[in-house]
Every structure is written in structure tokens, then in C-alpha cells.
């Protein structure tokens, strides 16, 4: 069974680099990765915050938010 993972980002250079490094590195046989650009899809901000995302880029999987480097505080995206 595949695990769902959501990679949240805001399109900044740090976020794009993390997407290409981290999200693309997950084994597609084990993970279904959804990439969400919170800068252009603000309707997903509350969902990200409810999942524990405090800053982007962040990867949410198995009920936990993993913050990768620091591109932007999620409050700045509102």
C-alpha cells in the first residue's frame, strides 16, 4: 500500500530546490506525492496549517509535518 505525502511550497528558490531534491527522491512505488504551491493555491493554506506546517517548504506524511530548510513562514502566505 502506498503512503500519501504532500509537499507544500511557495515557489521560492529554496522551495523549488527542495521539491526537486526531496519530493522527487521518494520512491514512487511507496509514496504518492502531491505537490501544492501555496503561493498560487491559497485555498489549501488552512489544510497545510491543520497538518502542522509552520513554514515552507514542508513535507507532510504519516501525520507529521517535516520542515525542510526555510523559504517562507506560512503566515506570510495569507
Amino acid at each position: 500500500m502506498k503512503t500519501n505525502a504532500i509537499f507544500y511550497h511557495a515557489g521560492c528558490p529554496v522551495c523549488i530546490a527542495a521539491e526537486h531534491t526531496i519530493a522527487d527522491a521518494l520512491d514512487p512505488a511507496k509514496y504518492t506525492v502531491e505537490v501544492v504551491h501555496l503561493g498560487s493555491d491559497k485555498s489549501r493554506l488552512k489544510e497545510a496549517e491543520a497538518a502542522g506546517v509552520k513554514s515552507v517548504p514542508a513535507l507532510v506524511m504519516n501525520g507529521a509535518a517535516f520542515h525542510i530548510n526555510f523559504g517562507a513562514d506560512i503566515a506570510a502566505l495569507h
Side-chain angles (χ1 to χ4, degrees):
M1 181 166 92
K2 284 187 173 184
T3 299
N4 291 327
I6 303 174
F7 183 81
Y8 294 101
H9 73 92
C12 63
V14 170
C15 293
I16 298 300
E19 176 185 351
H20 293 296
T21 304
I22 305 298
D24 291 348
L26 294 175
D27 183 348
K30 295 181 180 179
Y31 297 95
T32 299
V33 180
E34 178 185 9
V35 177
V36 177
H37 187 309
L38 293 173
S40 61
D41 190 357
K42 296 197 183 283
S43 68
R44 306 279 302 264
L45 280 166
K46 288 188 188 285
E47 166 195 317
E49 290 173 319
V53 175
K54 305 288 184 204
S55 65
V56 291
L59 180 66
V60 175
M61 55 194 302
N62 299 322
F66 299 94
H67 296 89
I68 306 160
N69 208 328
F70 183 84
D73 190 284
I74 198 160
L77 300 173
H78 283 276

